[in-house]
Amino acid sequence: MRIFLPFKQGLYCCGIAIALHCTAFQGIANASQQLLANQNTLPANVGLSGLLPEIEQKFKVSFVFKDEDLKFKTVPAKITETENFNEVLQIIETYANLRIEKTGQQVYSLTDALTSPTGLPNLNKEAAKETNGKKAVAPISISGTVLDENGGPIPGVAVLVIGGSATTVTDMNGKFSIEADETATLQFRFVGYETMEVAVAGRSNISVKLKPALLQTKDVVVVGYGTKTKKEVSSAIGSVNAKEISATPVADAAQALQGRVAGLQVVQNSGAPGGTGGTSIRIRGISSVNGSNNPLIVLDGFPLPDQTADNVLNAISPNDIESIDVLKDAAAASIYGVRGSNGVVIINTKRGKEGKSTISFDYYRGIQSAWRLPKMLNAQEYAVINSEARLASGIAVLPKLANPERIASAYGDGTNWLDEIFRAAAMTNMSLSATGGTDKARYAISSGYFKQDGIIRGTTFDRFNFKFNGDYNATKRLKIGNNVTMSRTTERAKNTYDAFNSLLLLAVASPPTVSVRNEDGTYAGGNGAEDGFNEPNPVYDIEVPQGINTKFRAISSIYADYEIIPGLTARINYGLDFVMSNGRSWSPAIPSTGGRPITVTGSSDNTSYNPSYLAEYTVNYKKSYKGHNFGLLGGYTAQDNNYNYLGASRNGYTRLDLRTLSDAAVVPTSISQIGNYNGYGTNRLLSNIGRFSYDYKERYLLSFSLRRDGSSNFAKGNKFAVFPSVSVAWNVMDEPFMAKFPAISNLKVRASTGQTGNQNVTAFAYLQSINTGIQYPFGDNSTSGGGNSAAAPTATKNPALVWEKNQQTNLGIDIGVLKNRVGLSIDIYQRKSLDLLFYVAPPASSGTYDPSPLNTGTMVNKGIDLTLNAVVTNPTSPVKWNATFIFSKYNNKVTDLGLSAPIYSTFSRIGGGGLRVDQGSPVNYFYGFVADGIFQTQEEVNAHAKQTVGTNTSNGTSPGDIRFKDLNGDGIINDKDRTNLGSSIPNFTYGFTNNVSWKFLELSVFLQGSAGNKVLNFTRWYTEGGIANGNFSKDVLKRWTGAGTSNEMPRMIQADPNQNNRVSSRFVEDASYLRVKNIRLSVLMPNKWAKAAKVSTFKLYGSVQNALTFTKYTGFDPEVGGGVDNGFYPQARTFLVGCNLEF
Amino acid sequence: MKNLKYLLVLLLGVTAFTQTACKKDFLDLTPNNTITDANFYQTQEDIVKAVNATYTPIQGLYNGAGWQILDIMTDDTDKGGGGANDGVEVGDLDNFTMNSFNPNINTYFVQCYLGVQRANFVLEKTPTIAVMTPSVRNRSLGEAYFLRGYYYYMLVRLFGDVPLYTAPITLEESLNIGRSNKADVYRVIIADLDSAYNKLPKTRYTGDDKGRVNAWTAKGMLASVYLTLGIKDKALECANAVINSNVYSLNTKYEDNFSLDNENGPESLFEVQYRNIGQTWNFFGQGQALNCFFAPRSQNIVQSSGYGFNVPTPNFFANYEKNAAGQIIDKRRPGSMWVPGDKLDTYTQPNSLEGSPNGYNVRKYFVPATNTAADAGGWSCALNVPVLRYAEILLIAAEAAGPGAGDRYINTVRKRAGLSDIPAGLNADDFLATVYKERRVELAFEMHRWFDLVRHPNPNYMVTTMNAVGKNAQPKHMLMPIPQGERDKNPNLSQNSGY
């Protein structure tokens, strides 16, 4: 590959000249930006003069300066960590407002930039005044204080007289004094804050409050094994900062990512408390059909073990998270090699900063309730509809329902089963943290407690969490530190996910004429004989079986950084992710007249222990030479992931007070009363990583990365893979010609391409598995009993099996206009999944019949990510409105199934269709019949293709039944008339974040939505007659009852001879939605109140989560993971109030 | 120096981890919860299991494909069952309207290759087992050679050229393998059966090993192969080897060959072992399905009522020799088929039944409904089905020896049936016709007839014979079509002409 290097002609300035070309207040040096933004608050500054000797020694240079010039000059303490001497100079220049000149070999002079605007040391202020020729008006002495937005003093603020020469900086208490004319205007400047101008107007005391700079976006981006400034980034990375994460009242930080990053599709699979129902995170679509699509999550540098479950993040308190960076394109993710193909989510927790200790306390409490529940028939309506449905099928009416008039008096409205299972539920969060440190050592500790009751009775989640991390400069060259994040989560869950036993489905289906309990207090429920309905009583299912899952997780690491020579740092990092969980269940045999009561008391207990170990050795080298900046990263990592589980169950308990498996509680008398199981295994990775980055003055950027991974999941000879990537970027804004376009304040173009892998396929699938379930009977003429054991492979061996590959190309552009008041980033990409693993049915001549895994398919995702940031209000307006809009769209297509036949997976309970994977279509589209209105007359039935031919209306297709399209035109409606009914992949998703602040009020409104995604609403199978004698939704009142009465809702007929309830477009609904996800109003208490309360910040807030949802979807909630609504736990609407205190 | 302390501590940690991480086998893990080729084929017991599994496909082959193709397709039987729509695919075979989608033909193909691949595993893995009783090692190799030869023999006779491989095959290879010339297939069959003869014991098995093949099974099968190939001297040599071994003898009573009490009896060289394990509605379990499928339809004299398939034709029935009074004197008739008036306890076979206009049904492999231990219904009958009987060895010897020299063999078989010797001095053609007729009656419904039809020295014999009974067989039917599903997956698999 040839790379055009356009910078040769630009070698006109070099070395320290860059610094000289910059004046102190123009363009904030990236290094300082990095340091500043890392903290999002004021940098912890220290006196410069104390640090200079260290810098001198480190870089083998000398500084010449006057003590007076360095008085009160501060720089961020982190300057000592900076490896690049140019950056050091830039920081000094920017923060301390010093002018730097190279005056000899390795000798630099520092002079106060403000007192010597021409660059020459100007020791005579009077002389300077004369030079400026402004002596007409007598200057007055002005003093005052500069405060930050929270009312705290800001040291080091530059104060100058516009048009004059007098300058000063504020002292450690934010105080300044300066001489200026009565009519002069003072200017206050400080990095990270808006520059402010104040007319003196004769005052001798002027205090100002600086406002944080607009669009203070996070300027440091965490990349794999390092960080980069936003300007240096050449790949596609999306970032979310702490504020946005902690503003969302959720247990699982993944849920807080929804709508925040373009290209990131987050679907909350369920509203179960604690996010335990799972949150699916998909970065730029779906890359695998049979493997996992979950991104790799890297927590504080620890790549967590591959997850098949979606709820990895609920063990971490969102309050502890400092930043989340999403590596979207291959160039960014390929440093994670064989685990990078689904993208990477890098989470860093908060770390201590040098400076004053901060103690922060956050508390909120809220109440959650269902935002919408389906409307079901009352007792009398149910009697009418059910009797009608039975009569249509030629079945006698249930005696209990025979006289609809009597129903109302006997049952009233009847049992409202939804009210029986739903409740208003509390949610509480508390977190306490302390951070601080000195130039030598920094720490961050926190603890928190989160408790969420579910809006479905019997479901709860709580979490205790502790965190400690520290960094310690052991010597000038050695820095050591650690991370520990620990949590205990406890969950009580109920079945809200399967097509047979989801509580929600049972609740909608239970007839209103059935009661929850009998008069004697025992459980009632549908009685087969009396009600014709024998599904379980949902209240019984909530109250009787008990289960609790407790999970302990500790993710910890220690590291040491050692600087070998300036610019060359070696790092050792060891990590341990320790997950231990225990699940206990108890199902007592308590009678119920409803279906499937527990008849044998049983108990089970299982424990799993899943440690993962990490060792990483990396070397980082940075070198700058005449504007050419080189970076080199090399490393070696090994990871060892383990799982172990051990469990047992017993049944046949005769007493209900001892719930253990001990002999005292139960003495099994047969083997069927005993269950014992265990398993353990390991997965390992061994990797080499390398990255080379180069830029010329951060204008032209180039980065190569390479990872060589060895995975234990594959056969010898196929274990290792190399994942390369390359990315380039051009900061067009830095080109001189851009001066002609003053409206444009930022312009950057990026391009990248690279390869990643997905090793998350079944481990050891390359081995020939042996089927030991075969038998053949030898021996004497015995007539019965098993034969001799036999064993043979029934699937072919595929030792060539390898990881799935993902090849991605990304083109991006970042534009800023109106001094970056409006910023726009657009990325377009193509992801090609290659060597997709499919289970291929073997030819019989192979002598096997079970499908074998083969790398054979191809899938493509093409998409666009767009992020628009804007400061909507005028910068001078007292009302500040910052808005961010993100938009993501992708098209998914399985382009090649290779040797695999189309994959078709059917649903439980509802027949006639399923999810299908076929060439040329999006993955897992809904496959079924096309409903085409309702037959109004017998003539229409006769004229149409044959559906179900019966002898009469009770057993054949009749008027009132759904007409299905005869797609192949063969005159018969059969399996061949099924087609693609749409996909759960949205046309696009979007998020709209708004922060409006005025004085002490801050309002944030976050909207999020999805358009064009389809959901197969399986709940309607239940509520529109799928289950015999079950209740119906109010919608069936609009059923067909004769020609012209309805073209939507078919006639009610219990036996459903026409299979109106088959998988068809009837149940596939548009689940587009727009959700006002969060509204939050915060009030910052006035400073004096805070002072009175002896706190530095006192904030009160109220918020509403899931405030409003606009959707045409008719089920419980349009957000359905996987696209098939099996009566999932709906998301709650939460109202909460909280406070935030900082000491 | 303080730094050094920290460094030392860290370095110790580094060493601890790298010691494990840098080992060459760090990534070489094997599963501990599933049986794979990484932890199987390691003991004698594993090999015996692998051998046992090589026998298993023959159960499905006989249940799900053998009678449908090798008997119903011939002049011996018709489909029967409950009308034209009952078993359409079997009807297609009966009427010679079968195509490459026929599921029975597919089953035949599938089961044979299951056996071939499993035999290949045994042959590949057995030599790698360090500790093995020599007799078991030889026996296992011999069984695998025999079974591979047998399955290929079944394949080559029905399909002609077929994919041929003698080592385990990968998915990729199986997706691309072509068909080998049938001469090459026969070379492998003969070599395998020879190897099997050399490895296997030359005595009958006892106890728990009854049902395994021995050297004489291999030799007898080889006789059949040579006869099919028309190499008569070798066929005779092999058959005589079996006869002269004196290991086998005819059962006194013909019907004892199909009796629960006499499984793996004195006449049996090889039979499909079945057992009632209550497995239902499945051709591929351990139960025998023939009892249910062949029993008089809906008469409930077997468990699962009886389906009345595979109904003997009048043309077949006419082969039973009669006396001058027109009474059948062949003692084999009652053991082979039901005719009207036959009685079992209170049951009497009627003059006609659904699917059986003449009231004929196959009675071989019959276990009455009263014997619930041997038949739980749902196609789970325990009765074995013979593959190779001593009587067939005698008939092979007769046919191979030809007129005169062969007479004594055929007469031995006839004698048990209560029939007189064949006329001496028949010419070659008449003698062959006599042997064919004898085979038809003696081996009735034992899934030999189709192979006899297509191996006849007269290449038109099958077509002529079928046409004579009103079946529209054509020359292309000498070979059955390669299953289309196979060809869809494997582009290199050619089709037999005419399909």
Side-chain angles (χ1 to χ4, degrees), chain B residues 322-369:
Chain B
K322 302 185 178 72
N323 61 16
Q327 288 164 324
I328 292 174
I329 53 169
D330 193 324
K331 291 186 193 168
R332 292 172 291 196
R333 202 284 300 164
S336 296
M337 60 184 285
W338 295 93
V339 298
D342 280 359
K343 285 189 170 23
L344 176 80
D345 301 329
T346 59
Y347 173 76
T348 307
Q349 177 81 357
N351 288 332
S352 78
L353 276 164
E354 185 180 11
S356 177
N358 303 299
Y360 299 153
N361 283 108
V362 170
R363 190 171 178 164
K364 274 185 183 173
Y365 327 122
F366 173 73
V367 171

Side-chain angles (χ1 to χ4, degrees), chain A residues 32-63:
Chain A
S32 56
Q33 240 175 352
Q34 173 174 352
L35 288 166
L36 174 67
N38 218 358
Q39 305 161 35
N40 262 340
T41 55
L42 272 179
N45 288 356
V46 293
L48 173 62
S49 45
L51 290 179
L52 284 179
E54 193 179 328
I55 296 170
E56 285 178 331
Q57 192 185 349
K58 182 172 178 180
F59 296 102
K60 309 279 180 279
V61 295
S62 303
F63 290 102

Side-chain angles (χ1 to χ4, degrees), chain A residues 964-1043:
Chain A
F964 296 104
K965 278 192 178 159
D966 183 13
L967 296 178
N968 65 354
D970 65 354
I972 302 168
I973 302 299
N974 59 16
D975 283 359
K976 287 171 184 149
D977 296 305
R978 294 179 298 178
T979 187
N980 183 344
L981 301 177
S983 153
S984 60
I985 298 174
N987 292 344
F988 58 90
T989 56
Y990 53 97
F992 189 28
T993 309
N994 292 278
N995 287 303
V996 183
S997 62
W998 177 71
K999 294 191 173 168
F1000 52 88
L1001 291 178
E1002 190 176 305
L1003 174 70
S1004 79
V1005 179
F1006 172 49
L1007 292 86
Q1008 168 267 325
S1010 169
N1013 53 309
K1014 301 283 197 298
V1015 165
L1016 180 84
N1017 188 353
F1018 175 69
T1019 54
R1020 281 176 59 195
W1021 181 88
Y1022 270 87
T1023 62
E1024 293 178 13
I1027 189 150
N1029 305 307
N1031 199 7
F1032 304 82
S1033 69
K1034 287 250 196 261
D1035 292 336
V1036 307
L1037 296 174
K1038 292 174 281 180
R1039 71 208 178 277
W1040 186 94
T1041 49

Side-chain angles (χ1 to χ4, degrees), chain A residues 475 574 768 775 797 844-845, chain B residues 3 14 37 165 210 286 486:
Chain A
T475 70
Y574 295 122
Q768 180 103 58
Q775 290 187 318
K797 183 175 183 166
S845 54
Chain B
N3 321 351
V14 175
D37 60 349
Y165 56 95
K210 276 189 186 172
Q286 294 196 66
E486 287 300 294

Side-chain angles (χ1 to χ4, degrees), chain B residues 244 274 315 467:
Chain B
N244 297 334
Y274 286 110
N315 176 284
N467 292 350

Side-chain angles (χ1 to χ4, degrees), chain A residues 475 560 574 680 684 719 768 770 775-786 789 791 797 844-845 847, chain B residues 3 10 14 26-28 32 35-37 49 52 56 114 117 165 171-172 210 260 273 275-277 286 382 486:
Chain A
T475 70
Y574 295 122
Y680 53 90
R684 285 179 179 155
K719 287 187 189 299
Q768 180 103 58
I770 306 291
Q775 290 187 318
Y776 191 78
F778 291 108
D780 277 320
N781 56 343
S782 30
T783 50
S784 56
S789 295
K797 183 175 183 166
S845 54
Chain B
N3 321 351
L10 281 164
V14 175
F26 182 70
L27 296 177
D28 295 340
N32 58 18
I35 296 179
T36 68
D37 60 349
K49 284 182 184 175
N52 296 350
T56 307
L114 283 181
Q117 174 81 327
Y165 56 95
L171 180 60
E172 280 83 354
K210 276 189 186 172
L260 280 164
Q273 311 288 311
R275 194 166 288 180
N276 167 25
I277 59 161
Q286 294 196 66
E486 287 300 294

Side-chain angles (χ1 to χ4, degrees), chain A residues 472 474-475 478 480 558-560 562 572 574 613-615 617 636 638-640 643 645 679-686 710-714 716 719-720 764 766-772 774-794 796-800 840-849 852-854 899, chain B residues 2-3 6-7 10-11 13-15 17-18 21-23 25-33 35-38 40-41 48-53 55-56 58-59 106 109-110 113-114 117-118 121 143 163 165 169-172 174-175 177 207-212 260-264 270-277 286 371 373-374 382 486 489-490 493:
Chain A
Y472 177 56
T475 70
L478 178 67
I480 56 175
I558 53 167
Y559 73 88
Y562 189 75
I572 294 169
Y574 295 122
Y613 310 98
L614 172 77
Y617 311 98
Y636 170 84
Q639 193 161 0
D640 177 292
Y643 72 88
Y645 62 86
Y680 53 90
T682 300
N683 155 261
R684 285 179 179 155
L685 272 178
L686 201 61
S711 165
S712 64
N713 279 2
F714 305 104
K716 247 182 189 164
K719 287 187 189 299
F720 287 92
F764 307 120
Y766 67 87
L767 288 170
Q768 180 103 58
S769 68
I770 306 291
N771 183 340
T772 51
I774 304 170
Q775 290 187 318
Y776 191 78
F778 291 108
D780 277 320
N781 56 343
S782 30
T783 50
S784 56
N788 299 48
S789 295
T794 48
T796 54
K797 183 175 183 166
N798 182 7
V840 174
S845 54
S846 69
T848 62
Y849 44 80
S852 302
L854 191 71
L899 295 164
Chain B
K2 218 166 58 177
N3 321 351
Y6 295 115
L7 268 175
L10 281 164
L11 280 170
V14 175
T15 327
F17 199 97
T18 38
C22 288
K23 272 189 198 161
D25 57 359
F26 182 70
L27 296 177
D28 295 340
L29 300 176
T30 48
N32 58 18
N33 54 358
I35 296 179
T36 68
D37 60 349
F40 195 69
Y41 300 120
V48 171
K49 284 182 184 175
V51 171
N52 296 350
Y55 284 90
T56 307
I58 200 173
Q59 293 174 323
N106 188 57
F109 190 89
V110 167
Y113 276 105
L114 283 181
Q117 174 81 327
R118 290 176 189 182
F121 272 102
E143 287 174 288
Y165 56 95
I169 190 171
T170 65
L171 180 60
E172 280 83 354
S174 71
L175 288 164
I177 192 169
D208 290 344
D209 287 324
K210 276 189 186 172
R212 295 188 185 279
L260 280 164
D261 298 333
N262 199 34
E263 289 185 335
N264 305 310
F270 185 29
E271 57 194 44
V272 186
Q273 311 288 311
Y274 286 110
R275 194 166 288 180
N276 167 25
I277 59 161
Q286 294 196 66
N371 190 348
E486 287 300 294
K489 289 171 187 160
N490 178 351
L493 218 51

Side-chain angles (χ1 to χ4, degrees), chain B residues 50-109:
Chain B
V51 171
N52 296 350
T54 313
Y55 284 90
T56 307
I58 200 173
Q59 293 174 323
L61 178 65
Y62 271 64
N63 272 338
W67 51 272
Q68 296 92 331
I69 299 169
L70 306 176
D71 282 336
I72 289 182
M73 215 158 67
T74 71
D75 49 353
D76 278 2
T77 60
D78 284 329
K79 179 182 77 77
N85 286 331
D86 189 13
V88 173
E89 66 281 1
V90 184
D92 286 338
L93 294 166
D94 196 5
N95 302 323
F96 287 91
T97 53
M98 76 293 284
N99 58 27
S100 60
F101 294 95
N102 188 281
N104 299 110
I105 293 174
N106 188 57
T107 295
Y108 190 105
F109 190 89

